[in-house]
Amino acid sequence: QHALNSGVRRYHVAPVLCQRAKVAMSHFEPNEYINYEKLEKNINIVRKRLDRPLTLSEKIVYGHLDDPAKQEIERGKTYLRLRPDRVAMQDATAQMAMLQFISSGLPKVAVPSTIHCDHLIEAQAGGEKDLQRAKDINQEVYNFLSTAGAKYGVGFWKPGSGIIHQIILENYSYPGVMLIGTDSHTPNGGGLGGICIGVGGADAVDVMAGIPWELKCPKVIGVKLTGKLSGWTSPKDVILKVAGILTVKGGTGAIIEYHGPGVDSISCTGMATICNMGAEIGATTSIFPYNERMKKYLGKTGRADIAALADEFKQHLVPDSGCHYDQVIEINLSELKPHINGPFTPDLAHPVSDIGAVAEKEGWPVDIRVGLIGSCTNSSYEDMGRSAAVAKQALAHGLKCKSKFTITPGSEQIRATIERDGYAKILREVGGLVLANACGPCIGQWDRKDIKKGEKNTIVTSYNRNFTGRNDANPETHAFVTSPEIVTALSIAGTLKFNPETDYLTGADGKKFKLEAPDADELPKLEFDPGQDTYQYPPKDGSGQHVDVSPTSQRLQLLEPFDKWDGKDLEDMLILIKVKGKCTTDHISAAGPWLKFRGHLDNISNNLLIGAINIENGKANSVRNALTQEFGPVPDTARYYKKMGIKWAVVGDENYGEGSSREHAALEPRHLGGRVIITKSFARIHETNLKKQGLLPLTFADPADYNKIHPVDKLSIVGLKDFAPGKPLKCIIKHPNGSQETIMLNHTFNESQIEWFQAGSALNRMKELQQKS
């Protein structure tokens, strides 16, 4: 406590003093303690009930049950009521989450919570200039988040602090924690042995309100790692390989649990990289067992006390011997080769040695216009060190990058430390531009000037996601995902046809040379340099704090409750759009320039489904108005139907809502009059977000029935008066010629989720329960 009061941000505590003592979850919340005793008690109750060995995932999930003695537990079927330890929100999603919390009427959050300003900083000229520009442009939003945090007891990480997931790894994640975050890459914290799950803002509000949080009991996919990483192969290649095996939906409804002797050859931040990108295969989250690499990282980030406590409870932070996995994948790290995935989807996996030939065959541009390293996935000290090791070799032979090259530090601590230790200098000398400690181009916050929209080109990144137009809003940008060191090598060569394992470069002296596999420290030899202090503590009493939302603001808007279900079936709904093919949350609610409206529901609704492809004409943002027969933008057509009092539906394909946790993709259709989304299958987070906002996410009992619905049909959902868990609903399709047919639709609603629908939204239901109590 004295250290905190005197402004010291990093300190160590002798492990012998910490055993069985109260240990704080974080330096920033000295009075909130890790409760391994409760975790242990719950695990023992559940183990006795189930009478079988438990996976690590089960231990931590079931260890956070609200009622471990009575909770029905069946993987993949029952809904669990859980008590997470904490909540984290990034600034783009925190706006809507805090607006919903304000609507709840509660005075203060019930669990430790934080806001992280990382999404609203656009990459343009470089770190300092871009950060100052963001502060000027987003002053209204930052002020809202800062004051809302102060009023409701939420810690506030100011712009420039770094990316939410890196901050969590450095300060908040620990073995056995259950943390939910309003960003799909929250599973990054699994690199420190925590169950960290991405959710929508309404889920976060439940936890902040002290209400048990519901999650369908996950299946557990085991990934057994053998052998040892070496050479050019990196932790990123593990998840790139797994993505190729499982595809973008293969992990849906499951936790990916890594185990086996190969785990110990991976650094803690490397494990975080693997867990981070597990979001791209639809997994609920990913996790590694507690080991010495995690202990080492905890010590280096000033949390030796947590490591000492984790050592005592280690039996609960690793899987039981003989535990059962629903599926097992085995990867020999000694045989794993460097991979590069893409373009346009993160599960299209290629060995780096093959990508040049594949690109030429497919007609993808082989010349690399930009290489980008960093992001929440790969911005650790080790990542920067390995990239600098590659760059240093090129510089020694008089070479610089042929491609443009950018570097995104993951946090202020990483930025300050790589500046001190010379990595940043090397990366600049090879031609790199160091960007702000923020998401930047990874999420489309990139003011790109080197190409015109529509120009076919290739970029390589160490990011996690490469959907069409995601990074620069250009649908012709072919984005590939790989490790930072491969990005660096390819940027020096300037072409996808370069394989650093076998190919030679020509130095400035005309002599050929081969890059050696990079080697770098996983953690700095000295302590981390914390850099500037960018954290705002919430006051002990925030009741007098004023939160400003101007009624004329174009960026913030207080929420109005959604209408309650009228007790009737949904009859004669028009089809706003029948979507063809992939429809991610980027397609449903685009990011990039639209991020500035994330706190204003009506304004951001003008991007509803503008990226989705209409099966009727093969175009984006062009749908038929069933009343006027004219084609126009999707949001305009939705607004027209809403004005006329007509309910509408969306028909989608496989894995609808893949990608981010942004609940705007659910709020927007509800706001504009949508009531039903019917698809072949949903991504987990998006399906939950739709339920939370009072929409009906339904799936075809027979996926072939997708072909029976045409954009000009009318749909009726019947049976809502008898809406019950596990009971299918009927859909009557009325064709323009007067004929009709009936198909069956499945759903995954439980009893409480049905109440969300009936009340109009989960927030409405919460307020009803508050009034009753």
Side-chain angles (χ1 to χ4, degrees), residues 470-497:
R470 176 175 175 84
N471 302 120
D472 60 3
N474 179 14
E476 289 300 321
T477 292
H478 293 56
F480 294 86
V481 176
T482 185
S483 68
E485 51 265 50
I486 294 293
V487 172
T488 306
L490 293 179
S491 299
I492 291 165
T495 175
L496 288 176
K497 295 169 73 175

Side-chain angles (χ1 to χ4, degrees), residues 223-303:
V223 179
K224 184 179 181 181
L225 302 178
T226 60
K228 185 178 181 180
L229 287 176
S230 62
W232 284 92
T233 306
S234 74
K236 186 67 164 280
D237 297 307
V238 177
I239 186 57
L240 295 176
K241 178 71 173 179
V242 172
I245 295 169
L246 289 177
T247 78
V248 290
K249 65 173 185 173
T252 303
I255 293 175
I256 312 296
E257 183 172 311
Y258 293 86
H259 63 283
V263 166
D264 292 332
S265 76
I266 304 173
S267 67
C268 178
T269 52
M271 291 186 247
T273 291
I274 294 167
C275 292
N276 178 293
M277 201 175 157
E280 309 329 315
I281 54 177
T284 301
T285 192
S286 300
I287 190 170
F288 279 83
Y290 176 59
N291 67 2
E292 287 297 315
R293 306 298 278 268
M294 294 183 192
K295 182 176 182 177
K296 188 176 179 181
Y297 183 80
L298 285 168
K300 204 68 172 179
T301 51
R303 294 175 288 170

Side-chain angles (χ1 to χ4, degrees), residues 671-705:
H671 175 64
L672 294 185
R675 297 315 301 257
V676 180
I677 313 292
I678 306 171
T679 71
K680 294 180 182 177
S681 63
F682 287 96
R684 175 191 64 86
I685 301 177
H686 186 60
E687 181 179 17
T688 301
N689 286 345
L690 290 167
K691 292 178 184 179
K692 285 277 185 179
Q693 302 307 334
L695 283 133
L696 282 176
L698 306 173
T699 56
F700 295 103
D702 179 357
D705 287 345

Side-chain angles (χ1 to χ4, degrees), residues 349-621:
H350 320 272
V352 171
S353 57
D354 296 347
I355 188 62
V358 173
E360 287 190 321
K361 180 183 175 183
E362 298 292 337
W364 304 331
V366 295
D367 291 339
I368 298 167
R369 297 295 289 268
V370 190
L372 306 99
I373 66 169
S375 82
C376 67
T377 318
N378 276 113
S379 58
S380 69
Y381 184 82
E382 181 183 32
D383 288 328
M384 295 297 161
R386 285 173 68 88
S387 294
V390 175
K392 192 173 181 179
Q393 294 179 62
L395 289 169
H397 289 84
L399 295 186
K400 291 191 175 185
C401 290
K402 287 186 178 178
S403 310
K404 289 183 180 294
F405 186 50
T406 69
I407 302 99
T408 303
S411 68
E412 170 61 8
Q413 177 168 279
I414 294 295
R415 183 208 63 77
T417 307
I418 66 171
E419 289 285 1
R420 181 196 70 193
D421 293 353
Y423 291 165
K425 181 175 184 289
I426 293 169
L427 294 170
R428 286 192 187 96
E429 286 177 353
V430 85
L433 175 67
V434 179
L435 301 174
N437 313 322
C439 300
C442 183
I443 60 162
Q445 285 284 49
W446 186 15
D447 185 17
R448 191 176 179 189
K449 302 292 189 184
D450 63 302
I451 60 159
K452 295 178 181 178
K453 191 169 183 177
E455 183 180 341
K456 197 173 180 181
N457 75 104
T458 283
I459 64 173
V460 291
T461 81
S462 69
Y463 302 165
N464 44 43
R465 212 163 264 171
N466 58 347
F467 303 143
T468 302
R470 176 175 175 84
N471 302 120
D472 60 3
N474 179 14
E476 289 300 321
T477 292
H478 293 56
F480 294 86
V481 176
T482 185
S483 68
E485 51 265 50
I486 294 293
V487 172
T488 306
L490 293 179
S491 299
I492 291 165
T495 175
L496 288 176
K497 295 169 73 175
F498 178 70
N499 177 10
E501 287 192 301
T502 58
D503 297 343
Y504 287 78
L505 294 167
T506 303
D509 58 3
K511 294 180 181 179
K512 292 187 178 295
F513 73 99
K514 190 162 163 279
L515 292 170
E516 297 295 326
D519 186 31
D521 294 332
E522 64 178 280
L523 295 165
K525 289 184 172 64
L526 302 174
E527 298 302 307
F528 275 109
D529 183 339
Q532 299 179 44
D533 188 353
T534 53
Y535 179 72
Q536 173 185 293
Y537 288 86
K540 289 183 179 179
D541 181 7
S543 58
Q545 179 71 51
H546 180 65
V547 181
D548 222 3
V549 179
S550 168
T552 59
S553 172
Q554 294 301 300
R555 297 197 60 178
L556 296 166
Q557 180 186 46
L558 293 174
L559 296 174
E560 295 292 331
F562 289 132
D563 60 299
K564 192 171 181 176
W565 177 55
D566 62 8
K568 301 176 182 177
D569 288 336
L570 296 168
E571 297 183 346
D572 293 333
M573 290 180 293
L574 298 178
I575 297 171
L576 177 66
I577 183 173
K578 182 180 179 183
V579 177
K580 178 183 178 182
K582 185 186 281 278
C583 189
T584 71
T585 47
D586 279 5
H587 294 90
I588 303 168
S589 176
W594 291 95
L595 283 169
K596 61 178 172 287
F597 296 125
R598 284 285 182 90
H600 197 294
L601 181 54
D602 194 55
N603 282 346
I604 199 169
S605 293
N606 289 322
N607 75 1
L608 175 66
L609 286 158
I610 61 175
I613 301 300
N614 179 10
I615 200 169
E616 187 175 6
N617 57 11
K619 295 180 180 180
N621 202 25

Side-chain angles (χ1 to χ4, degrees), residues 610-666:
I610 61 175
I613 301 300
N614 179 10
I615 200 169
E616 187 175 6
N617 57 11
K619 295 180 180 180
N621 202 25
S622 175
V623 294
R624 183 195 301 272
N625 184 317
L627 303 182
T628 67
Q629 296 303 309
E630 296 177 355
F631 280 84
V634 183
D636 293 0
T637 307
R639 287 185 186 278
Y640 185 87
Y641 292 161
K642 181 180 181 180
K643 180 182 177 182
M644 302 302 291
I646 298 171
K647 297 180 176 68
W648 51 263
V650 169
V651 178
D653 211 316
E654 294 276 8
N655 207 33
Y656 184 89
E658 169 192 345
S660 78
S661 68
R662 69 193 70 158
E663 64 181 340
H664 300 76

